[in-house]
Amino acid sequence: MIQLAVLDMAGTTVADDGLVERAFTAAIGAQGIESGSPEYDKMLAHVRATMGESKITVFRALLNAEEAAQQANKAFETAYGELVDEGYCAPIDGAEDAIRQLKDAGIKVCLTTGFAQTTQHRILSALGWRELADLTLCPAQAGRGRPYPDMVLKAVLDLKGDAVANVAVVGDTVYDMTTGIAAGAGIVAGVLTGAHGKDQFQAAGATHVLSSVREFPDLLLS
């Protein structure tokens, strides 16, 4: 019996619509790397391949210098937050109803992200979701971000789950799948509303592939 659902935000419950790439362009531009240059294109390809991973980890891999990575990450979070404040933030169709269905059925819900906590809170505030989930987590609150299992395991501890096998993890990237598997989750489901596709999910070990988080309550409650 699934007791806890750990749901990703951007691309899974929150529409991305290119916001990550727009914020990345602003952040990497602050490091002197211009959009359209060969170096930029190479970095953007890495960003796309690592969607779902903690953003500071991505910038560390790209820039190979801690100070530059911290500066880029701060610029990214600022740019993304400004886009959210300007109204470029919307839920995935049916996501809020899906979360409410889960909670009505007695399943606790944790929303997770690879963003910083301040950015996560801006997104939740913009959507009116501050009180929607039982718990919200970002990498800094758990220890490490995806692909490590820390956020899932912290959710189990904080929400007093009986066992990791009673957890379902849902996300739009292979990093969500890797996280769920590493944590020992009973269900690890990929959704086709974000960064990665069916073949990538199956190769990463997903137990299910859904067109959207809208289908997730039916998977559990049927």
Side-chain angles (χ1 to χ4, degrees):
M1 177 64 185
I2 297 298
Q3 298 174 319
L4 167 63
V6 179
L7 309 179
D8 171 53
M9 291 181 64
T12 303
T13 55
V14 181
D16 174 57
D17 293 332
L19 297 190
V20 167
E21 292 189 13
R22 289 172 65 181
F24 165 76
T25 299
I28 214 68
Q31 296 296 314
I33 301 165
E34 295 184 4
S35 176
S37 68
E39 188 175 9
Y40 170 87
D41 291 341
K42 182 179 178 180
M43 288 186 172
L44 181 59
H46 180 81
V47 169
R48 289 171 174 166
T50 56
M51 285 289 190
E53 190 175 7
S54 172
K55 293 298 173 282
I56 183 60
T57 303
V58 173
F59 284 117
R60 283 172 178 149
L62 290 174
L63 299 171
N64 296 312
E66 184 63 21
E67 184 177 356
Q70 291 291 346
Q71 290 173 349
N73 187 62
K74 184 176 180 179
F76 173 89
E77 298 287 352
T78 298
Y80 197 100
E82 288 174 351
L83 289 168
V84 170
D85 292 345
E86 290 167 11
Y88 296 103
C89 184
I92 292 288
D93 185 38
E96 182 171 341
D97 287 342
I99 292 170
R100 294 192 185 281
Q101 279 182 265
L102 295 173
K103 293 185 67 178
D104 288 346
I107 298 169
K108 293 182 178 179
V109 175
C110 174
L111 293 174
T112 63
T113 184
F115 298 149
Q117 186 177 23
T118 53
T119 304
Q120 183 183 44
H121 284 176
R122 286 169 89 163
I123 296 169
L124 294 170
S125 295
L127 298 177
W129 284 10
R130 289 295 291 267
E131 306 299 326
L132 180 62
D134 297 285
L135 180 67
T136 61
L137 290 174
C138 68
Q141 293 171 288
R144 298 170 297 179
R146 307 182 191 105
Y148 299 103
D150 301 28
M151 288 195 288
V152 176
L153 298 178
K154 182 168 175 59
V156 173
L157 293 172
D158 287 2
L159 295 175
K160 297 179 172 56
D162 291 342
V164 289
N166 296 340
V167 177
V169 174
V170 184
D172 68 302
T173 74
V174 295
Y175 285 85
D176 295 293
M177 306 303 99
T178 304
T179 290
I181 292 166
I187 290 177
V188 182
V191 292
L192 302 176
T193 51
H196 297 151
K198 182 177 180 179
D199 291 346
Q200 291 165 296
F201 290 140
Q202 291 178 335
T207 60
H208 301 78
V209 179
L210 309 173
S211 65
S212 166
V213 73
R214 290 192 306 268
E215 298 179 358
F216 185 58
D218 288 341
L219 171 66
L220 295 191
L221 304 179
S222 62

